[in-house]
Amino acid sequence: MASSFETILKKASIFKEKDVLSPHYLPETLPHREKEIDRIMHIVSPALRCNRTQNLFVYGKTGTGKTSSVKYVMELFEKERTPSHMLYMNCRIYNSRYRVLQHVVKEFVPRFYKPGYGVSFLYEKILDWVEEDGKSLVIVLDEIDMVRDLDDLIYTLIRSNDDLKRGHVSVIGISNKVNFKEKLTPRSKSTLCETELVFPPYNSPQLKSILEQRVKQAFEQGVVDEEALSLSAAIAAQETGDARYALRLMLRAGELAEQAGEKRVEACQVEEARKSVDENVAIDAICTLPEHQQLVLHSIACLTAGGGKYSKL
Ligand SMILES: Nc1ncnc2c1ncn2[C@@H]1O[C@H](COP(=O)(O)OP(=O)(O)OP(=O)(O)O)[C@@H](O)[C@H]1O
Ligand SMILES: [Mg+2]
């Protein structure tokens, strides 16, 4: 007999709050990032008094807590009484100078957010808005390496400080492409990297405590076996020290246990989860490659599968 929504929803789950394991969830505290958070807070604190903040470039491998730490500081910043603002944007979406400026206008002076306005118009409106009360605007550009005309963008944003009669604009750039700054012109590089902050990968005990915090909220009490937790942390530490990967493993292991009707998540489900997560990671990585790189990969795969002298490509 087909199930009803009611029976599906009523079915006891080993999860208490599954969303806590989602990569978009911002936990209340970020263990092992206290030093980095403190540093970011010190860097942006002058903005609270409408003073200039140094530009900051944050980098480190994927899943090391860069986005979460900056967002954490932003939440604290927004609670303070100040005319200044921090604005976050992901440059996968806002990937050009035009889109970044347009987004600032949309957020703060929406009456001028209309298609067709040129860069200089948007720039002037932002400057007027900053000058109104001499505020400090800190623009957070996450995945900054995705901006197509980054040199122009940095130049425009930072030059605004010369054109402003009062108030300031500064940038926090975030990237996991460690070599990306070498591609910037020397001027952009020295501007953006006025201050730098590196997020190191997590080790196994650190990942374990990060997982423990999330598992407590995400699963019903006592569901996750201690060995399963240690194994997820150890696998993720061995791979890249990526907390997102560790969380994905835990989520998948939980789903597999639930599908199998198990009441506990054990090491064997983590092993199984590893295979499916690795497959998904590979699919995600290939899907986001530019088309010509996908074609090269396809050709290599065909040659390898075809055997002969190319079998070891
Ligand atoms: N110290 C931490 N404590 C708790 N959770 C963490 C911590 N660091 C990272 N996470 C979790 O790991 C996941 C990835 O973190 P985040 O998105 O901040 O990484 P990132 O460094 O920005 O990665 P990427 O370079 O891929 O964008 C998120 O779900 C986040 O909540
Ligand atoms: Mg990030």
Side-chain angles (χ1 to χ4, degrees):
M1 198 178 78
S3 2
S4 70
F5 282 128
E6 205 184 337
T7 48
I8 294 172
L9 291 174
K10 269 193 187 153
K11 206 169 143 195
S13 169
I14 55 173
F15 289 105
K16 192 162 56 182
E17 207 186 331
K18 203 170 168 180
D19 284 350
V20 170
L21 295 172
S22 137
H24 307 291
Y25 178 82
L26 186 61
E28 267 172 38
T29 56
L30 293 161
H32 314 295
R33 284 301 175 238
E34 295 81 4
K35 244 182 24 217
E36 289 76 6
I37 288 173
D38 195 58
R39 182 89 195 283
I40 302 168
M41 287 176 74
H42 272 87
I43 289 168
V44 299
S45 59
L48 292 170
R49 306 241 181 287
C50 297
N51 292 320
R52 189 184 99 83
T53 70
Q54 292 198 321
N55 300 313
L56 169 68
F57 179 48
V58 175
Y59 67 101
K61 286 192 178 159
T62 188
T64 50
K66 303 179 294 298
T67 301
S68 310
S69 301
V70 173
K71 283 192 169 172
Y72 182 89
V73 172
M74 285 184 67
E75 282 197 357
L76 294 178
F77 188 96
E78 294 302 335
K79 283 185 192 148
E80 297 289 323
R81 280 168 63 91
T82 171
S84 297
H85 283 282
M86 290 180 78
L87 177 65
Y88 172 91
M89 59 189 103
N90 189 303
C91 298
R92 270 183 196 276
I93 299 160
Y94 304 100
N95 61 357
S96 68
R97 174 175 68 167
Y98 185 72
R99 288 193 177 168
V100 168
L101 295 183
Q102 209 184 25
H103 188 55
V104 178
V105 166
K106 184 180 173 197
E107 282 297 308
F108 299 121
V109 265
R111 64 184 184 281
F112 295 113
Y113 175 68
K114 290 193 187 105
Y117 286 142
V119 165
S120 52
F121 180 86
L122 299 174
Y123 176 77
E124 277 165 28
K125 294 303 153 203
I126 296 170
L127 257 54
D128 290 348
W129 174 74
V130 171
E131 271 178 355
E132 265 170 25
D133 44 10
K135 59 176 77 67
S136 202
L137 170 63
V138 182
I139 301 181
V140 178
L141 300 170
D142 200 355
E143 309 204 35
I144 190 171
D145 46 279
M146 301 299 283
V147 178
R148 293 193 301 250
D149 49 356
L150 186 57
D151 286 315
D152 289 343
L153 173 64
I154 306 251
Y155 177 72
T156 307
L157 292 179
I158 302 312
R159 205 201 74 183
S160 63
N161 289 297
D162 298 332
D163 292 337
L164 280 166
K165 289 186 202 69
R166 55 191 200 130
H168 308 273
V169 175
S170 56
V171 174
I172 296 182
I174 308 176
S175 176
N176 57 23
K177 310 267 181 306
V178 179
N179 294 326
F180 130 89
K181 66 175 186 172
E182 306 310 329
K183 292 189 196 133
L184 293 169
T185 62
R187 186 174 61 179
S188 299
K189 188 172 155 187
S190 72
T191 307
L192 175 65
C193 307
E194 195 175 3
T195 328
E196 290 182 49
L197 183 55
V198 184
F199 278 56
Y202 295 114
N203 60 29
S204 180
Q206 287 174 332
L207 286 171
K208 192 173 171 196
S209 67
I210 290 171
L211 281 177
E212 264 162 358
Q213 178 204 46
R214 297 284 256 275
V215 158
K216 253 190 226 148
Q217 290 171 266
F219 289 93
E220 293 295 346
Q221 205 187 347
V223 163
V224 179
D225 198 61
E226 170 75 20
E227 206 190 324
L229 244 169
S230 306
L231 184 62
S232 300
I235 293 173
Q238 191 188 31
E239 295 278 333
T240 49
D242 172 351
R244 187 184 294 112
Y245 183 78
L247 289 162
R248 268 187 175 187
L249 270 182
M250 213 61 255
L251 173 64
R252 190 72 197 118
E255 286 172 346
L256 288 170
E258 190 155 82
Q259 275 163 22
E262 306 284 349
K263 294 273 169 278
R264 287 180 65 78
V265 180
E266 290 175 350
C268 56
Q269 275 108 19
V270 174
E271 292 284 9
E272 217 181 312
R274 180 185 196 170
K275 288 181 215 138
S276 102
V277 169
D278 285 350
E279 211 175 280
N280 287 343
V281 168
I283 292 170
D284 283 356
I286 295 169
C287 288
T288 51
L289 284 177
E291 201 177 332
H292 58 274
Q293 290 185 16
Q294 289 180 351
L295 288 171
V296 172
L297 205 62
H298 179 69
S299 316
I300 295 173
C302 289
L303 284 170
T304 312
K309 63 178 177 173
Y310 296 118
S311 62
K312 282 195 179 151
L313 263 180

